[in-house]
Amino acid sequence: MGLMEKVKARKAPPVVAPIELPLDQIIQRDCIAAMRALPADSIDMIFADPPYNLQLGGDLSRPDGSHVDAVTDEWDKFDSLSAYDTFTRAWLAEARRILKPNGSIWVIGSYHNIFKVGSAIQDLGYWILNDIVWRKANPMPNFKGTRFTNAHETLIWASMGEKARYTFNYRSMKTLNDELQMRSDWEFPVCGGQERLKKDGVKVHPTQKPEALIYRILLACTKPGDVVLDPFFGTGTTGAVAKRLGRHWIGIEREDDYVAAARERIDAALPLDESALTTMQSPKAAPKVAFGVLVENGYLTPGVVLSDAKRKHRVLVRADGSVQTACGTHTGSIHKVGSLVQNAPACNGWTFWHIETETGLKPIDTLRQTYLLATQP
C-alpha cells in the first residue's frame, strides 16, 4: 500500500449503521429516555400534550354534589414548580435535537403551564411562530363561581430558528376555511360523544384531545409521508389522525392502559376514511360552517366525488377541503371551482355541488344542515 493510500485509509470515517426509526409504532418508555434513543434530525413535526401540572387541591364536585372526573393522575404531579421546569426543559431539549432543521413543534397547555413552556421554548433557541387559542365550544363551567369559566387552551407553534424553512400549507388552511385566511383562534368542542374513549363507562384518558384539532395541525404543518412524533401519546389521537392523512407517526407513552387503547384505536383507523365525529359548537357560531369543517369531522371523506345536479361536472374532494375537477384543470373551494366550470362570476357551492346517496343526488348543503342539527345543543 502506497503512502497516499495509507493516509486515505487512516482518515476514512468509520462506517456507522443508520438507526431505523420505529415508524408507526408506540415506544412504551419514559419520554425523555425514548427521545434520547432516536437519531438526531429525524423528525418532521412534534405535537406535544405534556402534563399540565394542574396541582388540584382535592376532589372537584358539581353544585349537586356529583364528582367531576378531573385530572388526578400521578403523571400530572410534580414536587414543585422548579421540578416541572426541569422536566419541561429536558424533554424540549431532546425534542430540539431530534427535529429536522426545517421541522416544527406544537405544544398545547393551559394557564397552569403554558407560560413556563413558552419561556423554555425561547430559551432553548426555538422561534415562536404563533400562539393559537383553542376556544372550547362546550367548556366545563367554574362550579364554585370564584373565577371566570376557563374556556380555552393555548397552543405554541415554533420552528427551529428564525431562518428555518418550516412547512406551512397556507393554501390548504385558507381553503379549509372557505377561502378566508385561517386565524389564530380556533373553535372546537372538547372531546365527547362517540369519539371519547371509555372503559366500563369511565374515560380512558382525562384530557383526550379532539381529532379535528389534530387534523388541522397536521394538515397545516406536514406533508404526506412526513414523520410526526407525539412524546405524550396518551390514547393515540395523533397516531389515528396521522394514519388517516398518510403521515408516519411515532408515539411515546409509558402507561399500560393508554397504550392498549391507542393500539386498538389506531388499528381501527382507516386512511382518509372515518365515521363522522359527534361535535358541538356554540349557537352563535352554528349558522356559519366552512366546507372544510365537514371534511375535518368526517361528514365528507377525502376522495369522494361530487357533481352538479345534471352530472355534467365532477370534482374530487381533497383532504384540505378543496375540490379538483376530474381533469385537474381547476382546483379551489367549492364556490370558486363551481364558478369556473360554469364560466359564471359567482357560485353557491353548497347548492351547486351534489353527493350521490342511496336515494339519488343530494346537495351538499344537506350535509351542512345535518352537521348543524347534530351540533346544536
Side-chain angles (χ1 to χ4, degrees):
M1 181 183 290
L3 177 61
M4 292 304 297
E5 285 76 9
K6 289 181 180 180
V7 171
K8 290 179 180 179
R10 189 164 57 245
K11 289 184 176 181
V15 177
V16 178
I19 302 174
E20 291 190 9
L21 287 174
L23 298 179
D24 308 322
Q25 297 179 43
I26 302 174
I27 305 171
Q28 192 165 2
R29 195 177 180 186
D30 173 79
C31 72
I32 297 173
M35 283 193 284
R36 282 176 180 159
L38 297 176
D41 305 334
S42 60
I43 304 297
D44 294 290
M45 198 200 84
I46 292 175
F47 173 80
D49 183 7
Y52 287 9
N53 194 27
L54 295 178
Q55 300 295 309
L56 296 178
D59 291 337
L60 185 62
S61 300
R62 297 182 178 87
D64 62 4
S66 60
H67 176 70
V68 175
D69 187 12
V71 183
T72 56
D73 304 82
E74 288 300 319
W75 51 257
D76 193 57
K77 297 177 181 178
F78 293 81
D79 292 336
S80 65
L81 294 178
S82 176
Y84 186 79
D85 284 341
T86 300
F87 165 75
T88 298
R89 291 174 183 273
W91 76 258
L92 279 171
E94 285 304 318
R96 182 169 176 80
R97 184 186 66 81
I98 62 178
L99 273 171
K100 294 179 180 178
N102 294 325
S104 66
I105 185 170
W106 286 76
V107 187
I108 187 169
S110 68
Y111 68 88
H112 303 87
N113 71 321
I114 198 63
F115 302 106
K116 287 184 168 293
V117 170
S119 177
I121 282 176
Q122 290 183 309
D123 288 346
L124 289 168
Y126 293 95
W127 186 261
I128 294 179
L129 299 166
N130 275 117
D131 64 324
I132 303 292
V133 174
W134 166 30
R135 296 188 296 121
K136 301 175 182 179
N138 52 342
M140 182 184 297
N142 183 269
F143 294 112
K144 294 182 179 180
T146 57
R147 303 182 185 182
F148 296 109
T149 296
N150 184 28
H152 77 278
E153 292 185 27
T154 301
L155 299 102
I156 295 175
W157 175 37
S159 67
M160 293 288 281
E162 184 179 3
K163 306 292 186 182
R165 298 172 62 87
Y166 55 89
T167 296
F168 178 51
N169 301 315
Y170 170 80
R171 184 68 241 175
S172 293
M173 289 296 97
K174 189 173 181 181
T175 304
L176 193 69
N177 199 38
D178 267 359
E179 294 301 318
L180 296 175
Q181 189 175 79
M182 187 73 76
R183 293 162 40 126
S184 62
D185 54 332
W186 300 352
E187 184 172 3
F188 293 103
V190 297
C191 191
Q194 294 179 353
E195 186 184 356
R196 167 66 76 172
L197 300 184
K198 292 186 177 182
K199 184 176 182 181
D200 300 326
V202 179
K203 296 176 184 176
V204 175
H205 196 293
T207 63
Q208 181 182 337
K209 296 302 184 287
E211 291 196 6
L213 177 69
I214 309 303
Y215 185 107
R216 183 173 294 183
I217 291 171
L218 295 192
L219 197 65
C221 300
T222 64
K223 302 182 291 293
D226 277 358
V227 179
V228 180
L229 172 75
D230 187 334
F232 307 96
F233 203 52
T235 54
T237 304
T238 301
V241 176
K243 183 177 178 181
R244 288 171 57 197
L245 290 174
R247 277 67 167 165
H248 289 296
W249 57 271
I250 299 172
I252 302 173
E253 178 57 55
R254 67 185 186 187
E255 304 293 329
D256 293 339
D257 290 345
Y258 298 163
V259 170
R263 284 177 175 149
E264 182 178 354
R265 177 185 190 181
I266 296 170
D267 287 345
L270 298 175
L272 297 179
D273 183 15
E274 189 183 55
S275 59
L277 306 177
T278 303
T279 61
M280 294 175 58
Q281 62 185 93
S282 67
K284 289 183 179 179
K288 178 160 181 66
V289 179
F291 181 69
V293 169
L294 300 185
V295 179
E296 282 181 322
N297 287 280
Y299 282 75
L300 275 168
T301 53
V304 72
V305 174
L306 307 178
S307 69
D308 66 309
K310 296 181 180 179
R311 293 187 172 87
K312 180 180 177 182
H313 305 289
R314 294 178 182 273
V315 292
L316 190 75
V317 176
R318 305 201 306 178
D320 62 359
S322 64
V323 294
Q324 181 176 346
T325 53
C327 59
T329 305
H330 302 303
T331 301
S333 70
I334 54 173
H335 314 295
K336 178 182 177 181
V337 175
S339 65
L340 289 173
V341 299
Q342 298 177 91
N343 291 318
C347 171
N348 181 351
W350 291 109
T351 55
F352 179 73
W353 296 112
H354 292 61
I355 187 169
E356 194 74 54
T357 70
E358 294 180 355
T359 57
L361 287 177
K362 298 288 185 183
I364 57 174
D365 189 53
T366 59
L367 296 177
R368 177 169 64 165
Q369 299 308 318
T370 300
Y371 173 84
L372 290 172
L373 288 172
T375 57
Q376 302 242 356

